[in-house]
Amino acid sequence: MSALISLVDAQERLLTLVNAADTIAPQPVESLLGGYLAEPLLAARTQPAADVSAMDGYAVAGKGAWKLVGESRCGLPFGSHLADGDAVRISTGAHCPAGTQAILIQENAQVEGEILSQADGALVPGEHIRREGFDFADGDPLLPGGTRIGPAQIALARAAGHGRLPARRKPRIVILECGDELTSDPASCGHGQIPASNGAMLAAMASAELCDIVATPPLRDTPDALVDALDAHATADLLVFSGGASVGDHDHVRPSLQRAGADIAFWKVAMRPGKPVMVAQLGKQLILGLPGNPVSSFVTAFHFMLPAIRRLCGASECLVRPVPILLGRDMAAVGGRQEFVRAQIADGVVTPLDQRDSSALLTLATANALIDRPAHSAEMKAGTHVPTYPIQNGGNA
Ligand SMILES: Nc1nc2c(c(=O)[nH]1)N[C@H]1C(S)=C(S)[C@@H](COP(=O)(O)OP(=O)(O)OC[C@H]3O[C@@H](n4cnc5c(N)ncnc54)[C@H](O)[C@@H]3O)O[C@H]1N2
Ligand code: MOO
């Protein structure tokens, strides 16, 4: 039970334990920002619904000069067709009347009274015309289920005729931080106490996903407090413990879970920081035990809590993939635990930060990336590409 497993095996194991939450009644598309499509998105209309102009100018039929016979505006299409020698004033996005052969852009046009002629440029048949359905047609499959819903997906869904979409119940995530030393009010720490900071950090990380988050006041380091917390939150989809994950006299999370009848899927992963991370199941409930050191909590939340929440929310891609970025400084060889090194990306180069202690929050808050150094990997020279996870961690963006 206490042998270290690799991160990749641990994540695979975790994701086999989690199912997406049930689907519920369709919800307004705008309310699904940050969620995932519960079903594939199909077009319920054709876009554009007719041939439309891509430029402001004139829709013309035949060779010029032309007689101006009307106007086609957005929302008010010209009601008739163009005969040879006819033209209509047209706006960007307006329907091209039947019979339109080309769009004469207004910069190249000359109008005298009702007569339009070409003053400049070339008139290419079909140019500046967006054909009916070139973006998508009614019934087309647009996006697969499990796609993340961001601003562009919201716009696409609406353009495709959907004001509401099937949705999933928001999973309920409860965050529990354990430690006799923790105080809720950072401004009033007694002797031997420190401000509780992991719970707020984990809740902030989880808030990137469309879930209901309950952050509780710090728990005492006692088995009774843990058992009471398990009872109190029995209906949550995911319980996230921070602290009490290791082997000390006051680390009660794993033994308390075992006593409560939970199955421990794994405890201890070959990673640094974050080794004592634990995943368990109690009935249908998933339980994560994250190590208390703040940077260990952050890194294990990044690799376990967020993927688990994404799976509950119905994501098809739950794991973030690292991107190769040019290394700014040599890095030493790595031992038996995969390392995640706080780093800064600037001007396309990633530079590791010196402080590696897993309690050092300042370095975490200064970092905008984690460099991924696989276990047993050799020394890396500056100028080579290193797998890197950009992290949402404040900053200017
Ligand atoms: N003999 C061993 N000792 C330790 C081992 C080990 O293998 N053998 N593992 C070390 C590693 S690695 C880590 S990481 C830590 C994890 O410890 P716990 O999960 O049991 O965490 P705690 O002991 O409760 O706390 C550790 C540290 O973090 C501070 N902390 C805890 N919770 C919070 C919070 N919510 N907000 C802010 N800070 C918090 C706590 O005060 C401690 O300083 O174990 C090593 N030990
Ligand atoms: O997570 Mo401990 O992760 O090595 O300080």
Side-chain angles (χ1 to χ4, degrees):
M1 178 58 69
S2 63
L4 269 55
I5 66 169
S6 69
L7 175 61
V8 62
D9 287 349
Q11 287 176 316
E12 195 182 314
R13 199 71 206 285
L14 166 77
L15 292 176
T16 61
L17 300 177
V18 196
N19 292 315
D22 301 332
T23 48
I24 54 170
Q27 298 294 309
V29 168
E30 299 81 349
S31 71
L32 300 178
L33 177 67
Y36 301 86
L37 289 174
E39 289 177 10
L41 181 67
L42 301 181
R45 58 180 293 283
T46 294
Q47 173 95 334
D51 290 358
V52 296
S53 177
M55 301 291 263
D56 295 318
Y58 300 87
V60 301
K63 292 197 163 58
W66 303 271
K67 183 175 179 224
L68 281 170
V69 296
E71 181 176 14
S72 184
R73 300 167 52 172
C74 292
L76 200 59
F78 182 68
S80 181
H81 81 283
L82 298 187
D84 228 30
D86 283 351
V88 292
R89 183 83 172 109
I90 197 162
S91 315
T92 303
H95 287 196
C96 295
T100 300
Q101 290 169 6
I103 301 294
L104 176 64
I105 65 171
Q106 68 191 53
E107 292 86 336
N108 293 344
Q110 187 176 320
V111 178
E112 277 171 35
E114 288 190 336
I115 302 304
L116 168 73
S117 55
Q118 186 178 348
D120 206 354
L123 188 65
V124 180
E127 199 179 22
H128 307 311
I129 297 176
R130 296 183 176 135
R131 294 296 174 193
E132 174 181 337
F134 93 90
D135 198 359
F136 51 80
D138 196 354
D140 278 356
L142 301 179
L143 298 171
T147 299
R148 176 111 194 188
I149 302 172
Q153 290 71 29
I154 287 174
L156 176 68
R158 288 187 58 86
H162 300 283
R164 290 175 176 263
L165 283 179
R168 290 192 188 277
R169 175 180 62 77
K170 280 188 193 173
R172 194 173 148 83
I173 318 298
V174 176
I175 295 172
L176 303 150
E177 46 190 341
C178 312
D180 291 339
E181 75 282 27
L182 304 176
T183 61
S184 295
D185 179 2
S188 61
C189 289
H191 182 62
Q193 292 190 307
I194 61 166
S197 57
N198 288 351
M201 174 180 71
L202 296 172
M205 291 173 83
S207 70
E209 302 296 328
L210 207 50
C211 55
D212 284 332
I213 303 161
V214 178
T216 63
L219 293 179
R220 307 280 299 166
D221 271 327
T222 66
D224 283 351
L226 290 165
V227 169
D228 288 350
L230 289 176
D231 283 348
H233 302 292
T235 58
D237 296 282
L238 171 63
L239 288 190
V240 183
F241 285 96
S242 143
S246 192
V247 291
D249 293 340
H250 308 287
D251 294 335
H252 298 297
V253 172
R254 190 179 48 91
S256 300
L257 283 171
Q258 279 171 320
R259 262 200 304 283
D263 290 327
I264 310 292
F266 58 83
W267 175 46
K268 294 190 179 174
V269 174
M271 63 190 291
R272 182 196 301 269
K275 182 183 72 171
V277 62
M278 183 211 65
V279 170
Q281 245 186 335
L282 185 57
K284 284 185 170 177
Q285 191 171 58
L286 184 75
I287 300 175
L288 300 184
L290 309 185
N293 277 322
V295 183
S296 313
S297 254
F298 182 95
V299 171
T300 50
F302 181 82
H303 284 299
F304 294 98
M305 181 187 79
L306 291 179
I309 296 175
R310 290 186 198 113
R311 174 54 54 85
L312 285 166
C313 292
S316 50
E317 292 287 329
C318 300
L319 300 176
V320 179
R321 306 283 166 200
V323 288
I325 302 188
L326 219 55
L327 184 60
R329 227 169 68 187
D330 293 357
M331 292 188 85
V334 177
R337 289 202 265 158
Q338 184 172 2
E339 281 187 16
F340 295 95
V341 180
R342 283 153 275 174
Q344 274 172 345
I345 302 175
D347 302 326
V349 172
V350 63
T351 305
L353 299 171
D354 285 328
Q355 180 56 267
R356 307 275 170 93
D357 190 294
S358 62
S359 68
L361 263 175
L362 175 57
T363 319
L364 180 63
T366 313
N368 60 10
L370 295 173
I371 294 176
D372 181 348
R373 300 282 285 126
H376 305 294
S377 54
E379 184 192 0
M380 283 205 84
K381 290 286 179 199
T384 50
H385 283 86
V386 67
T388 303
Y389 297 94
I391 49 176
Q392 289 189 341
N393 200 18
N396 296 321

